Amino acid sequence: MSKKRRFDLISVASIPLIMTLGNSMLIPVLPTIEKKLSISSFESSLVITVYSVVAIILIPIAGYLSDQYGRKKIIIPSLFIAGIGGLVSGFASWQLTEPFSIILIGRALQGVGAAGAAPIVLPLVGDMYKKESEVSEGLGLIETSNTFGKVLSPILGAILANLIWFLPFFAFPIFCLLSIVLVIFFVHTPKKKKSEKQTAKEFIGKVKDIFRKDGKWISAIFIIGGILMFIFIWHFILLIYHVRGRVRGKQHSKGSDSRHPISRSLYHLFCDRETDRAKQDCHEMGNGR
């Protein structure tokens, strides 16, 4: 693959990376959001849920529109909508006294944008490259960027929230703008012939045929994937709350208060584990004697 085409692919890979940041970046910030807005744990979880539910519902529609009008013509407005959603949530958090409902509206807009951005990247790679080896390489890089986003997002979200708790909302539009520029100037896709386009009736008919033929497998994959994702996110949230609780207990016992609760939580997550191991080793050595 040439350097130019590789840079095209890197530009496309920025989309799933940024969409992953848009959701997972807020997970470690949920306890802080809950405290700042005086809301329940259930209400804070809606900040994540609304984004995901809206995206899941709109993905098939976005896929059909991309087939009709072109990948870039759907991806670029979708990134713009996602960025607007981040601005709405961030501005509400910054200026309003009761911003929770407006934050959810902004998150819903981000979900609309996510539906028309990240999922369309996969067929876009198929349009850009014809050789099977290049398509495989492209899809591999896309999945790598998605995984990297999952690893980076909690760290980046914690760092930004330590500065200002609602800063992750404002950071997301900047990332979207960067991706828009990359897609506009560096991603080139072949134009589809009119004969390749299909009507809405044909699209719905093909979807029905797929579910009629492989509906059991598709349903099983969706259910299993949903359960696993729920378990992962739920355990991650519980971990954040558990660590924050331990840090809060230590602060109360020492009579101190931290200006950087999230960074202290991450610090204690690792350092307390090492301290517990050292205590256990000393205890075992004492028993051995």
Side-chain angles (χ1 to χ4, degrees), residues 86-270:
L87 287 176
V88 170
S89 296
F91 185 81
S93 304
W94 176 31
Q95 292 292 332
L96 301 183
T97 53
E98 294 184 359
F100 179 65
S101 58
I102 306 301
I103 288 175
L104 292 186
I105 293 174
R107 292 293 290 163
L109 284 174
Q110 286 183 283
V112 173
I120 298 177
V121 166
L122 299 179
L124 175 59
V125 172
D127 293 343
M128 292 170 61
Y129 306 105
K130 298 304 177 184
K131 293 182 180 179
E132 187 175 343
S133 59
E134 291 182 338
V135 173
S136 299
E137 183 179 349
L139 293 178
L141 182 60
I142 296 300
E143 184 56 35
T144 300
S145 69
N146 186 33
T147 304
F148 179 67
K150 289 182 173 67
V151 175
L152 177 64
S153 53
I155 301 171
L156 183 59
I159 292 172
L160 292 174
N162 271 327
L163 301 175
I164 305 174
W165 72 269
F166 51 79
L167 194 56
F169 290 124
F170 283 113
F172 186 67
I174 298 174
F175 298 148
C176 288
L177 180 61
L178 175 61
S179 187
I180 288 172
V181 171
L182 291 173
V183 172
I184 289 175
F185 290 104
F186 298 106
V187 177
H188 305 283
T189 57
K191 292 183 179 180
K192 281 196 170 186
K193 299 177 181 179
K194 290 184 178 181
S195 58
E196 295 177 344
K197 295 181 179 180
Q198 56 184 340
T199 63
K201 186 177 181 180
E202 291 173 339
F203 175 78
I204 294 172
K206 286 186 177 181
V207 171
K208 288 181 178 179
D209 291 339
I210 291 172
F211 273 92
R212 199 176 293 117
K213 182 180 178 182
D214 300 311
K216 292 181 179 179
W217 290 105
I218 294 173
S219 300
I221 290 171
F222 270 104
I223 292 171
I224 293 171
I227 292 173
L228 292 176
M229 185 58 68
F230 173 81
I231 293 172
F232 169 75
I233 293 178
W234 183 247
H235 276 75
F236 190 82
I237 293 173
L238 287 178
L239 177 63
I240 294 294
Y241 277 95
H242 173 69
V243 174
R244 288 290 298 274
R246 292 186 65 177
V247 174
R248 192 177 293 113
K250 288 178 180 290
Q251 289 172 357
H252 285 312
S253 64
K254 294 179 181 179
S256 63
D257 189 21
S258 173
R259 290 176 297 171
H260 306 290
I262 299 177
S263 61
R264 286 186 63 85
S265 298
L266 294 172
Y267 171 81
H268 282 284
L269 172 62
F270 296 102

